[in-house]
Amino acid sequence: MKHLIVYAHPNPESLNHSILDTTVNALKKNGHKVTVRDLYELNFQPVLKPEDTEAMKAGKTPNDIKTEQEFISEADAITFIYPIWWTGLPAILKGYVDRVFAYGFAYMPGAEGIVKLLKGKKGLIINTHGTPTEVYDEIGMTAGLKLTSDIGIFDFTGIETVEHLLFGSIGYLEEEAYKGMLTRVEDTINRHFS
C-alpha cells in the first residue's frame, strides 16, 4: 500500500516529529511504501492566489500544486500529522488544503451534490494540543475538531477517516505519558494498516 504523510510542525525536536518517526517506522515495518511531505522543510507556499485559481481553471495547474496532487493521487492512504494551533490547522497546512485539495481535483459539483473525487483512499489524522483532553472533550472542541477535519476535509473529498487521534496536555506531562502516546500511534497503525 502506498501511504502519504502530510506533516506540519516547524520543530524537528517536537513530539509531532516523534509521532512522524513512529508512524513512518510502523508503516514500513508493515511493508508499506511511505512518502513524507514535510511542509516546513518544503517551504510550501500556503497562500491561494488569484493566479493559482485562474491557472487551474485554464487547465494549467501550478507546478507546486500539481506535485502534491500527484502524491495524493498515487496514495492509497493519507495521514495528516500536525499540532492544533488556535483550535485549528497550522496556516501552512490550511494553505496546503486550500491549494491542493482543489475544485476539479478533490471535489466537483454533480447533479446530486458534491462529487467526491478522492474516494477509495483511507485517512488518518494525528493531532497534539496543549489544552487537557478532558477540557476539549467537555467544551465540545474535540468533537468540533473531528467534524471540521474528518468530515469537512477528508469525507468531503471521499477519503474515509479510519481514526483521529488527539493528544492533549502537551508540554505538561511526564516522559512516560509521551511514550504511551507513541505506543498508541504504533498500535493504531498496526490496527488499520497491518
Side-chain angles (χ1 to χ4, degrees):
M1 183 180 267
K2 290 183 179 176
H3 205 112
L4 173 66
I5 300 174
V6 181
Y7 174 72
H9 197 292
N11 183 356
E13 304 299 318
S14 68
L15 174 63
N16 276 259
H17 204 277
S18 296
I19 290 169
L20 172 64
D21 289 343
T22 300
T23 303
V24 169
N25 291 337
L27 287 167
K28 285 185 175 178
K29 190 172 157 189
N30 291 341
H32 299 284
K33 182 180 177 192
V34 182
T35 299
V36 176
R37 301 303 284 168
D38 181 334
L39 301 184
Y40 283 96
E41 190 177 277
L42 292 167
N43 197 25
F44 184 80
Q45 195 287 107
V47 180
L48 178 64
K49 297 179 180 172
E51 52 267 32
D52 291 336
T53 306
E54 290 307 312
M56 286 188 274
K57 280 182 186 173
K60 298 175 182 172
T61 302
N63 285 336
D64 63 337
I65 297 174
K66 192 173 189 175
T67 297
E68 300 310 317
Q69 289 177 343
E70 286 169 359
F71 281 116
I72 289 170
S73 293
E74 292 172 9
D76 302 303
I78 300 165
T79 293
F80 279 6
I81 300 172
Y82 61 95
I84 299 297
W85 289 345
W86 293 102
T87 67
L89 286 68
I92 199 167
L93 180 56
K94 178 60 170 70
Y96 176 94
V97 173
D98 289 349
R99 295 183 74 222
V100 177
F101 280 57
Y103 173 92
F105 168 73
Y107 70 96
M108 61 188 292
E112 297 178 21
I114 295 297
V115 178
K116 303 174 181 193
L117 300 177
L118 300 180
K119 279 188 176 176
K121 299 180 187 300
K122 305 281 186 197
L124 170 65
I125 300 174
I126 307 173
N127 297 141
T128 60
H129 53 82
T131 304
T133 300
E134 307 75 46
V135 172
Y136 264 14
D137 289 350
E138 189 177 310
I139 65 173
M141 191 61 68
T142 300
L145 290 166
K146 288 183 176 184
L147 188 65
T148 55
S149 297
D150 301 10
I151 307 300
I153 298 171
F154 277 4
D155 182 67
F156 184 79
T157 60
I159 300 168
E160 178 199 345
T161 304
V162 296
E163 197 153 342
H164 187 157
L165 300 175
L166 291 111
F167 298 115
S169 298
I170 304 308
Y172 305 98
L173 300 170
E174 299 295 324
E175 191 63 33
E176 279 307 305
Y178 299 119
K179 287 180 183 171
M181 291 173 187
L182 297 178
T183 298
R184 189 166 165 213
V185 168
E186 188 171 4
D187 290 347
T188 300
I189 296 296
N190 290 337
R191 189 166 62 255
H192 295 292
F193 305 107
S194 56

